[in-house]
Amino acid sequence: MTSELSQLKIGFIGAGNMAFGIAQGILLSGEVSPTNVIVSAPSNNHLPRFQEMELSVTHSNVEVVSFSRLVFLAVKPHFIPTVLKEIASSVTHDHIIVSMAAGVTLATLEALLPAGACVLRMMPNLPCVLQEGALLLARGSGAGQEAGLLLKNLLSPCGLVEEGPEPWIDAHTGLSGSGVAFVYLFAEALAEGAVKMGMPSSLAHRIAAQTILGAGRLLRDAGKHPAELRAEVCTPGGTTIFGLHALEKRGFRAAAMEAVEAATERARELGRK
């Protein structure tokens, strides 16, 4: 697999934050040479940071496809039909096409590409830019297990990489893609609570960020259910159980569940358009 990755030519159509984060992770492994990666965008606005990583850049999406075997579609969902119509005649059975567009189904992607094309959907999240992302893959009808394995190995430096059926992609969008913003809102509220209790704002925000980081790493690495870890923090009659009671009285758990549900339903709605 290592030798395969070292020879793999990779292209990004789109030069936004997700493309940047994925490109950083791919290069971090040391198995992919910058000379084997190309990025396209319609303007020069976002290309200089890719050039700083010594990647090739272009304004031609067709050039990206011609150069690459693995092509990431890193454009906004409403641009996908235009981009695929532009590149479809250049896509061969040797290509692996990976869409990162929320709500755009595998059926839609496959309908706009040559019959039998190897297509996957992938939903990353913003922490990919720090190689702490959560990514979920779903394979189309023309994508075999080898394509999924190749992608998982390539993207492993970007964070957690999992594979599942396509219906999970929308749930992952609600849980992890949108969930990042939910965590930021919680962090802001935590810090504001401390400010209310007299702590300086800048210090409160630093401590809130570190609290979430530490809790997340412990949750990831301890191998325990969140309820177990929560119970370990709660002492009888202590501060934490009083705080948790306040959250439960305000419907915190139900609100979080409904936020994931709403974001998931919106992703499904986008897929139906």
Side-chain angles (χ1 to χ4, degrees):
M1 183 64 68
T2 298
S3 60
E4 186 176 4
L5 292 181
S6 66
Q7 300 300 317
L8 184 65
K9 293 189 181 298
I10 301 165
F12 291 88
I13 295 178
N17 287 333
M18 284 304 158
F20 185 65
I22 297 296
Q24 280 185 311
I26 287 172
L27 295 179
L28 189 67
S29 69
E31 296 176 1
V32 176
S33 168
T35 59
N36 284 346
V37 184
I38 188 171
V39 183
S40 68
S43 73
N44 290 322
N45 293 344
H46 300 294
L47 292 178
R49 58 181 176 172
F50 291 92
Q51 291 174 298
E52 289 173 6
M53 292 193 290
E54 301 181 347
L55 308 185
S56 299
V57 299
T58 178
H59 297 307
S60 170
N61 297 333
V62 172
E63 183 181 350
V64 169
V65 176
S66 299
F67 173 89
S68 311
R69 179 183 170 222
L70 173 62
V71 178
F72 290 97
L73 303 176
V75 299
K76 295 187 183 303
H78 61 278
F79 287 128
I80 287 290
T82 301
V83 168
L84 291 187
K85 287 174 184 175
E86 179 187 359
I87 68 171
S89 62
S90 301
V91 173
T92 71
H93 288 293
D94 291 329
H95 281 102
I96 300 172
I97 308 296
V98 182
S99 171
M100 295 193 285
V104 181
T105 65
L106 286 167
T108 297
L109 296 165
E110 290 174 341
L112 293 168
L113 288 167
C118 180
V119 182
L120 299 93
R121 283 184 66 189
M122 177 179 84
M123 185 50 58
N125 66 352
L126 188 59
C128 284
V129 301
L130 296 177
Q131 288 75 57
E132 289 288 358
L135 303 91
L136 185 65
L137 313 175
R139 289 185 281 122
S141 58
Q145 290 184 350
E146 299 82 3
L149 183 60
L150 174 67
L151 204 54
K152 288 181 73 172
N153 278 278
L154 177 70
L155 297 173
S156 60
C158 298
L160 176 70
V161 186
E162 299 285 357
E163 183 179 338
E166 185 176 21
W168 292 2
I169 291 283
D170 291 332
H172 175 72
T173 301
L175 168 64
S176 189
S178 300
V180 171
F182 307 157
V183 172
Y184 293 153
L185 182 63
F186 180 56
E188 185 181 6
L190 280 178
E192 288 174 349
V195 171
K196 182 180 179 182
M197 293 295 99
M199 182 179 287
S201 178
S202 60
L203 177 61
H205 281 90
R206 290 199 302 275
I207 291 176
Q210 185 62 37
T211 299
I212 290 172
L213 174 64
R217 291 188 64 175
L218 190 60
L219 180 60
R220 181 188 66 186
D221 298 339
K224 296 180 179 180
H225 191 278
E228 292 183 75
L229 292 171
R230 174 170 52 80
E232 290 175 6
V233 183
C234 291
T235 54
T239 62
T240 306
I241 193 63
F242 272 72
L244 287 171
H245 186 209
L247 288 173
E248 293 289 9
K249 283 195 296 184
R250 296 291 185 177
F252 177 79
R253 190 190 305 254
M257 292 171 67
E258 288 176 9
V260 174
E261 180 182 4
T264 300
E265 289 297 344
R266 176 55 177 162
R268 291 174 178 168
E269 181 183 325
L270 290 172
R272 290 191 289 268
K273 288 185 176 180

